[in-house]
Amino acid sequence: MGARTNWPEYALERGAALIAGAVRWALPPRCPGCGEPVEADHRFCASCWGQLRFLDDSGCARCGIPLDGDALGERWCAPCLAKPPRHAGIHAAVAYGRIARELPIRLKHGGRIGVAETMAGPMARRLPPGADLLVPVPLHRWRLWRRGFNQSVLIGRSVARRTGVPIACTALRRVRATPLLRGLSPQQRRAAVTAAFDVREPDAVRGRRIVLIDDVYTTGATAGACVRALLAAGAASVAILCWARVIAGSDD
């Protein structure tokens, strides 16, 4: 004799499925790059997908800048050889360009927090091996109050869920408000973020291999200041994981 159907539960489940279908029909998933309807959440349309330049391990082992040739391995670019950076490597999902920059804009300035999940997928695949802890780049409390969220925390939590690496959202703190860095020279950017960060949870980072989470890496001024603070607090190493990084000659 077959199992008896629980009709109230069945009706509720069926009703929920119908509502979900109606929502998908009325509000279809949108391409995070251009907003065109696509077949599933966090998917790009063919045009936007074709304009993304995904990065891999064939670049400089320290800064991630693409290098000539196809060989993988510990190859360093000339600037990193001449002046080795203090960080343990920059790992970016894509090169900065017209479509790549749309996602952080939609997230930070459009309030499209679901875009953080879109960015986290390719970033999780670029997570350096041996990571002990994820630490998001913090916002100053006044900017956090105005925006309502820290995009690096949203991205970092999604990367943590995908990879199983724990995240410490409050380990690093921005102690001084800094101006918007857009339009400043590299020297002005570095000066603006000097002594802007400290570690409020040194026990959480001491001796750990840290991965700093950010959305876009441009001149490295902000990330560099965070790296210095974490190393000063006793971190064993600090690598940088971001959605996009600026590469000379890439599409603007």
Side-chain angles (χ1 to χ4, degrees), residues 82-202:
K83 186 178 181 181
R86 298 189 67 185
H87 60 69
I90 302 170
H91 305 265
V94 298
Y96 189 78
R98 190 176 69 85
I99 299 302
R101 71 168 172 252
E102 280 300 315
L103 275 70
I105 290 174
R106 289 170 183 262
L107 173 57
K108 292 189 288 189
H109 306 300
R112 300 283 298 276
I113 61 174
V115 172
E117 196 79 25
T118 308
M119 298 162 70
M123 287 174 62
R125 293 190 286 272
R126 297 282 289 134
L127 183 72
D132 293 323
L133 187 69
L134 307 179
V135 174
V137 171
L139 291 180
H140 188 266
R141 63 183 182 275
W142 293 117
R143 189 167 295 172
L144 180 61
W145 180 79
R146 288 194 298 269
R147 186 174 295 168
F149 60 88
N150 179 349
Q151 70 279 357
S152 295
V153 168
L154 297 180
I155 297 168
R157 284 175 174 162
S158 183
V159 172
R161 286 193 299 269
R162 292 167 181 267
T163 63
V165 178
I167 183 170
C169 295
T170 58
L172 190 62
R173 174 175 57 179
R174 191 183 293 246
V175 295
R176 183 168 60 79
T178 55
L180 290 175
L181 303 184
R182 189 182 305 113
L184 299 181
S185 70
Q187 294 79 11
Q188 290 171 323
R189 287 174 178 242
R190 285 192 292 270
V193 296
T194 298
F197 302 92
D198 73 2
V199 176
R200 65 188 304 179
E201 298 173 10

Side-chain angles (χ1 to χ4, degrees), residues 14 19 33 111 125 168 206 215 237:
R14 183 61 178 165
I19 292 172
R125 293 190 286 272
R206 189 175 296 115
D215 54 353
S237 64

Side-chain angles (χ1 to χ4, degrees), residues 40 45 48 75-76 89 118 122 136-137 171 205-206 229:
C45 68
C48 289
R75 300 187 302 157
W76 288 36
T118 308
V137 171
V205 306
R206 189 175 296 115

Side-chain angles (χ1 to χ4, degrees), residues 4 10 12 16-17 38 45 53 106 135 158 177 191 207 233 251:
R4 301 176 68 179
Y10 172 79
L12 287 172
V38 291
C45 68
R53 180 185 177 187
R106 289 170 183 262
V135 174
S158 183
D251 177 29

Side-chain angles (χ1 to χ4, degrees), residues 9 20 39 43 46 51 63-65 72 115 180-181 186 205 230:
E9 289 185 5
E39 68 276 9
R43 299 282 185 88
Q51 295 180 63
C63 73
I65 288 292
L72 301 178
V115 172
L180 290 175
L181 303 184
V205 306
L230 289 164

